[in-house]
Each structure stands twice: as C-alpha cells, then as structure tokens.
Amino acid sequence: MPSTEEGKAGAWFARVSHEISAAWAISRKDMITYYIKPNIIVMGILFPFFMFLAFAIGKNAPPGTLIPGLIAITLLFSASSIEPVSIPIERRVKTFDRLLSAPISLHSLVFGESLSGFLYSLGIACFPLIVGIILFATPIEHVPVLVIAMALTAFCFATLGTLFAAYPTENVGEVMSMLNTVRLPLIFISGVFIPLSAMPQIGQDIALLSPLTYGNDMIAYAYTGTSLFSPLLDILVLVIFILIFQFAANRLYKRFNE
Amino acid sequence: MHAIEVSHLTKKFGALTALNDVNFSVDVGETFGFLGPNGAGKTTTIRILTGISYPTSGTATIFGHDIGSDTIAARLSMGIVSETSNVYDDLTAWQNMIFSAELYHVGRVEREKKAAELLTTFDLYERRNDKVHGFSKGMKRRLTIAMGLVNSPRLLFLDEPTSGLDVQSNLIIRDVITGLIHEGVTVFLTTHNIEEANLMCDRVAIVNRGHIAAIDAPERLKKTIQSAQSIVVSFDRVSARQLEEVRSLPMVNDAIKEGDKFRLYTEDPATVIESVMEYARTRNLRVISISTLGPSLEDVFIKLTGLQRTGGAIHAID
Ligand SMILES: Nc1ncnc2c1ncn2[C@@H]1O[C@H](COP(=O)(O)OP(=O)(O)OP(=O)(O)O)[C@@H](O)[C@H]1O
Ligand SMILES: [Mg+2]
C-alpha cells in the first residue's frame, strides 16, 4: 500500500526535521548566551594559544610548520569548552529542565549542545588558519581534506565536552577540572608537540586511544601530504569516537537524570 | 480517556520516599489542584509527569501516552511552568518565546503570532526586545507562563504559578489561567495557597509526605469535617489575655487570633455564641461583630496533613 508507506515516510521526515530544527535552536541559544562567557574565552581561545606559544618558542622550528598542530589543539580546547560551561549553569538556573522536558529526543539535545561547540571551535580555528596563510604563507596541500579534518575533529571534541557536562553538577569548575585531567594529557600523547615516532612504545600505544592523534594526523596530512595513517582511517576512527561519545552522553544524561 | 492517569507511583531518593504509591487521574478539561506543604512531593510529581524524572515504580500516562515509553507524544500536548522562573537571562523576552516555540515544533508563522499575542496578554510586549536580565520577579514569572503556553497546550502544568507575586502579576496570571480553563485546557496546579486551590480547582488532592490524604471537590472536602465549624467574633477593646480567655470558654476546641478578630473552633456554634455573649458581659466588652463559618479548605488541609494550629500560627507536628 503505497499511500501508507508514503504517510509513514512523511511522518518520519517531519519528525526528523523537527528534531533537527530543535537541535539547531538549542545551539543558537548557546551561541547567543555562552560564546562570550569569560570561562569559555579563557579556556577556549587564550589557553591553547599560550600553551602552544610556550612550546613553539622552545622548539625552534619554522613557525609555519607549527600551524597544523596549533589548529588541532585550538579545536580541542575551544570545541570542548562550551558545554562544560553552559550545562552546569543551565542546571543551576533550571533552564536545563526546559531542554530535558521538551518534546525532543535526548540524542537531539546532545547533538544540539555539541553543535554549538562545533561551530564555535571552527570559528576560533580560523585564526591560526588565516595567520598561517597570511603571515607564514603555510602551503595547504589538500584543502578539502583540511575541511573534513577540522570538521570531524571539532565535532568529536564538542561531543566530548557534552559528554563530560553530563556529570550532574551545577558547578562549572567541577566539570572543567574533570575534563582537563583528560584533555591536557591528550596534547602530549597525540603527536602534536612530540612526534609519535619520537615517543617510547608505550606512549605510541596510548596515543592510539586518543582522538586527537587522528585529528592531528589528518590535519597534518592536509597541510603536508604526509601522515602516519591514511586519511580514510583517520576519518573512520574520528567518526567512531563521535558515535561513542554521542551514545555515552545520551546514556549518562538519562542515567543522571533521576 | 483521562488527561492524566497515575498509577501506583513511588519515587525514592535514596532512603527518602518522596512519593509513596500515589494514584489519581485527571479528566480532560478539569482543573486539578495539588495542595500540600513544603516537601510534600508536589514538584516531584510534576517532574515525573513531564518526564524529567523517572519513577522508582508505577506508571503515568498523559492523554493515553505513557510518559516513560511514549515520551515525545506525551510531551507535545503539554505546557510546563516550573517552580522557578527558568527563563534565559541573556536572551530577550522575544527570543525566549521563540526558543520555547522551536523546542515544541511550532511553525515559523504561528510562533511569531503566538509570541506576540502572549507577550501582549502578559503585559510584556513593550519590553519584548529587552534582555530578561533586567526583568522583575513578576515579569519573569509572567514570561515563564507565556513560554509554557506558546505551543497552545491541551494540558498545562503549573508549579506554584503565583507564589510570592504582587497583586497585579497575580491578577494577570489568574485571569489567563481562568481563560484557559474556559477554553477547555486541562490544568494541573500545585500550590500551597489554599485560597487559590479553593477558587480555581474542580478537584483538589491534599498531599503530605508523598501520600495523597484526600481527593475531592473543595466543597465536598469541607463537608467531611463539619466538626471544624467556627465563630468569628470581634470586641470593641482588645487585651492581651483575651485569646486565652476565649479559648477556655465551654465547647471551644481551639481559638486563633485573626487580625482584630478571634476565631473559635467548635462543633456547637449555638452554645459558643451564648458563652461568648456571656463572656463579653462579664468583662464589660461590646461585641462588634459575630458570625458562624463553615469549615474552610484550610481546616481540611490542617486536619488531613496533621498540622496543628497554635495561637494562630500553623506548625507541623512530627
Ligand atoms: N533530586 C532530589 N534528591 C533528593 N531528594 C529530593 C530531590 N528532589 C526532591 N527531593 C525530596 O523529595 C521531597 C519532595 O520534594 P518536592 O520538591 O517534590 O516537594 P514540594 O511539594 O514541591 O515542596 P515545595 O512546596 O517546597 O515546592 C522533599 O523531601 C525533597 O527534599
Ligand atoms: Mg515544589
């Protein structure tokens, strides 16, 4: 019976478009409300920049070659800083109840929250990108690969931020310090500052567990044309990380929501 | 089909039982009041009915949709006004309204129309482009209610809609709610304002410590405690010991001071009127007014929740 099939498809399409537009509304609300909060500016923009500066000065490499790594850690810190700030605040002022009681699936809520961190970090990562192009004339070998690499890395860490923000607290500092115990070590074991080949075997093994390894690797490939893994493998692993974080976040929000 | 149907709902927070085997149903179009002291479990009930919180056991359905398994369908017909005015301070009143409409899938044209209409009703239209940040408590409360109505809900949850507001905000809110009731919207209202429950609700559930002590129409609840009739009397002079003296008159069960009047609880108003007149004569007082009152919803409430009056104040007894 084609008519009911069509009806079903129509209902499904309407449902999905509702979910997407609600997720988009959530992330737009985050943009207006949280992008300029001091915590986010410090952790998302200033911190990665100074961190990198400190290492770059020590390294004595031509500044242009440092741009891919700077983009990678800028994405890590900015993407994962929005939700750990916005969600505890929303818990405190009880607006989070609005989101939890809205007629949308928890997946859309998680996705919408992550979307705002994703867009934020892409915007922020344009700074090192443009600085690289203008000041150091850093060549980019594969522009489309760079776009995909940045998007996936940004989304992966935005979802990681949403995942950590599931911890049921009204205190921003609590989520931030948990998150930092994970993301600070990431920058040392993911080949950003120290190439993987220069690390002991155990370090290299641990690096395989870090999504930043693959994001950084793929961004490096986009710039130089050489990388540790094939870009396809990087894409695959990043997508898997995104799915793991998304489903874990979904579970945790449900579970902590007594 | 009922608008709300709750069956054997129990909610535990660790060792604390916030709701204990609660059962009730609310008819379509009914205004149902949940009346209870602080900590009775009113907000917990709303949080479960709106799917924010999960019951430890038991079920709840909204227009036939199970809130646990058919959550989205159940929520589409609801408007929720929570206990705290949870508006976004950094958004304008207008942005708050539109955001709420978007969460509830209200179409673009419809949501702008509805937002303008509701902001006007709640006397906030002039301020629509201001950030909510600077709004007064009453304005935030009104905005919260407006946000809860943006999807034209068939069922409205109101968690203490008017507590702590001034007369003007109160009036606007009560007017709007009364209007919705006339339009056939089902209203689930929690309050500890007994007068509000008495005025607005078709039926009231009296809850205490997670139990429902009684459910009935306000008038019928009052009839159940005929023993709590009272005499209200005022004298031309007031002295410090009068309260104690009238309390010890024959057939008086209890006495409280209400402003310049005394309220004497009794099962036998006729006898008490006589002894009050006698008391006034012996003390050289003139009775300025005296009247008999039936039991109030407050009396029912006090009786059923095990609270106790002492000297005009209400205290919980453990
Ligand atoms: N998340 C929670 N964790 C632990 N205990 C809770 C939680 N939420 C509510 N309670 C407890 O459950 C009981 C009922 O609380 P609830 O908020 O439902 O009361 P209420 O009737 O709404 O009171 P009020 O009139 O003060 O708003 C209280 O004892 C409260 O402390
Ligand atoms: Mg409450």
Side-chain angles (χ1 to χ4, degrees):
Chain A
M1 287 197 294
S3 68
T4 57
E5 283 299 310
E6 253 169 53
K8 261 190 206 163
W12 184 85
F13 183 77
R15 168 86 199 279
V16 169
S17 79
H18 281 159
E19 294 281 340
I20 290 172
S21 57
W24 176 231
I26 290 172
S27 74
R28 272 197 347 262
K29 170 270 300 172
D30 281 356
M31 291 176 204
I32 304 174
T33 314
Y34 301 105
Y35 275 15
I36 50 165
K37 291 269 186 251
N39 249 322
I40 288 172
I41 292 177
V42 172
M43 278 320 290
I45 303 178
L46 299 181
F47 185 78
F49 181 72
F50 286 116
M51 186 91 202
F52 200 82
L53 214 59
F55 276 84
I57 290 166
K59 250 180 135 179
N60 205 9
T65 62
L66 300 175
I67 292 296
L70 179 56
I71 291 177
I73 66 166
T74 301
L75 288 172
L76 165 65
F77 278 90
S78 54
S80 60
S81 285
I82 302 282
E83 276 23 88
V85 172
S86 74
I87 291 177
I89 292 178
E90 293 213 21
R91 278 200 193 93
R92 192 169 65 227
V93 299
K94 311 290 177 209
T95 46
F96 201 56
D97 282 350
R98 280 191 185 282
L99 309 180
L100 290 175
S101 64
I104 55 172
S105 76
L106 210 45
H107 274 299
S108 300
L109 171 55
V110 170
F111 176 75
E113 293 286 355
S114 305
L115 199 56
S116 59
F118 165 76
L119 293 173
Y120 181 75
S121 69
L122 284 185
I124 300 301
C126 284
F127 284 110
L129 185 70
I130 291 167
V131 166
I133 293 168
I134 294 177
L135 290 188
F136 308 119
T138 317
I140 303 170
E141 289 281 321
H142 306 285
V143 174
V145 176
L146 182 63
V147 173
I148 297 170
M150 285 177 67
L152 284 176
T153 308
F155 205 81
C156 183
F157 292 124
T159 316
L160 180 72
T162 311
L163 172 65
F164 272 83
Y167 183 72
T169 176
E170 299 179 354
N171 182 343
V172 172
E174 240 177 305
V175 179
M176 275 296 185
S177 51
M178 281 195 312
L179 178 62
N180 282 336
T181 57
V182 170
R183 68 182 177 180
L184 286 178
L186 282 191
I187 58 181
F188 298 104
I189 56 143
S190 303
V192 178
F193 293 137
I194 311 153
L196 288 190
S197 50
M199 287 204 299
Q201 188 58 40
I202 173 87
Q204 293 190 24
D205 291 346
I206 296 174
L208 295 181
L209 298 174
S210 158
L212 185 61
T213 302
Y214 306 92
N216 184 56
D217 188 56
M218 196 173 162
I219 293 171
Y221 174 84
Y223 270 93
T224 62
T226 56
S227 61
L228 224 51
F229 310 112
S230 117
L232 283 178
L233 180 71
D234 289 329
I235 291 177
L236 180 72
V237 177
L238 284 172
V239 168
I240 291 172
F241 271 112
I242 290 172
L243 289 176
I244 291 173
F245 294 160
Q246 168 81 26
F247 279 87
N250 195 70
R251 263 195 97 95
L252 286 187
Y253 280 100
K254 199 164 177 127
R255 194 180 125 200
F256 283 134
N257 195 12
E258 349 185 50
Chain B
M1 186 181 50
H2 294 291
I4 303 176
E5 190 145 19
V6 166
S7 162
H8 301 295
L9 210 59
T10 295
K11 176 70 183 178
K12 293 189 175 149
F13 293 107
L16 180 112
T17 304
L19 293 178
N20 195 348
D21 196 31
V22 167
N23 295 283
F24 65 88
S25 58
V26 178
D27 289 329
V28 175
E30 191 176 25
T31 304
F32 189 83
F34 230 51
L35 184 63
N38 292 132
K42 304 182 295 294
T43 300
T44 303
T45 306
I46 290 198
R47 290 175 70 84
I48 292 173
L49 291 177
T50 53
I52 299 179
S53 176
Y54 310 112
T56 309
S57 62
T59 58
T61 61
I62 306 292
F63 295 110
H65 301 287
D66 186 283
I67 187 65
S69 58
D70 199 4
T71 317
I72 293 179
R75 283 174 176 172
L76 277 170
S77 54
M78 301 178 180
I80 305 169
V81 176
S82 59
E83 194 169 28
T84 29
S85 295
N86 52 353
V87 290
Y88 286 97
D89 273 354
D90 294 318
L91 302 185
T92 65
W94 182 260
Q95 287 169 331
N96 267 288
M97 292 297 288
I98 296 299
F99 177 59
S100 183
E102 286 174 318
L103 285 183
Y104 281 83
H105 314 320
V106 182
R108 182 179 297 276
V109 179
E110 175 67 17
R111 68 181 172 237
E112 304 212 329
K113 188 174 143 242
K114 199 76 197 175
E117 197 181 293
L118 284 164
L119 288 175
T120 308
T121 308
F122 284 96
D123 204 12
L124 292 168
Y125 191 72
E126 306 283 288
R127 302 287 301 270
R128 68 189 177 283
N129 292 324
D130 293 353
K131 286 199 172 177
V132 169
H133 196 73
F135 279 20
S136 74
K137 185 176 169 186
M139 292 165 75
K140 285 187 183 176
R141 196 70 191 135
R142 269 144 45 201
L143 179 60
T144 309
I145 299 178
M147 287 170 80
L149 293 173
V150 78
N151 60 326
S152 313
R154 291 157 69 203
L155 168 61
L156 182 62
F157 287 99
L158 294 166
D159 200 350
E160 295 181 28
T162 59
S163 97
L165 298 185
D166 71 357
V167 179
Q168 193 215 353
S169 293
N170 242 311
L171 282 180
I172 298 178
I173 291 170
R174 291 223 181 121
D175 271 1
V176 173
I177 298 171
T178 311
L180 292 168
I181 293 170
H182 283 302
E183 287 167 27
V185 174
T186 310
V187 175
F188 185 97
L189 171 88
T190 79
T191 180
H192 29 225
N193 184 335
I194 292 165
E195 211 29 51
E196 187 166 86
N198 190 26
L199 282 175
M200 301 179 60
C201 297
D202 297 316
R203 279 191 310 147
V204 173
I206 294 182
V207 279
N208 191 32
R209 296 182 194 181
H211 281 284
I212 294 195
I215 304 184
D216 216 328
E219 288 310 313
R220 302 241 307 242
L221 283 173
K222 290 177 203 168
K223 283 212 182 82
T224 60
I225 53 156
Q226 277 308 335
S227 63
Q229 298 184 79
S230 55
I231 309 288
V232 176
V233 59
S234 63
F235 304 109
D236 63 340
R237 280 179 286 116
V238 184
S239 70
R241 295 187 45 236
Q242 269 170 4
L243 180 64
E244 282 315 308
E245 288 171 356
V246 294
R247 188 180 280 146
S248 57
L249 292 174
M251 297 307 288
V252 171
N253 295 337
D254 193 11
I256 57 171
K257 196 165 183 297
E258 293 179 338
D260 63 344
K261 302 180 188 63
F262 295 100
R263 183 155 169 180
L264 315 181
Y265 287 85
T266 178
E267 283 130 54
D268 185 357
T271 308
V272 171
I273 289 175
E274 273 176 26
S275 43
V276 166
M277 300 312 281
E278 179 59 30
Y279 164 77
R281 251 194 311 278
T282 58
R283 296 294 147 105
N284 247 334
L285 295 166
R286 288 182 62 195
V287 172
I288 295 177
S289 70
I290 189 162
S291 54
T292 316
L293 290 178
S296 68
L297 197 54
E298 182 171 285
D299 299 320
V300 182
F301 181 79
I302 286 167
K303 180 160 177 249
L304 290 174
T305 56
L307 296 164
Q308 198 177 50
R309 285 180 201 279
T310 35
I314 297 174
H315 297 283
I317 43 169
D318 274 303

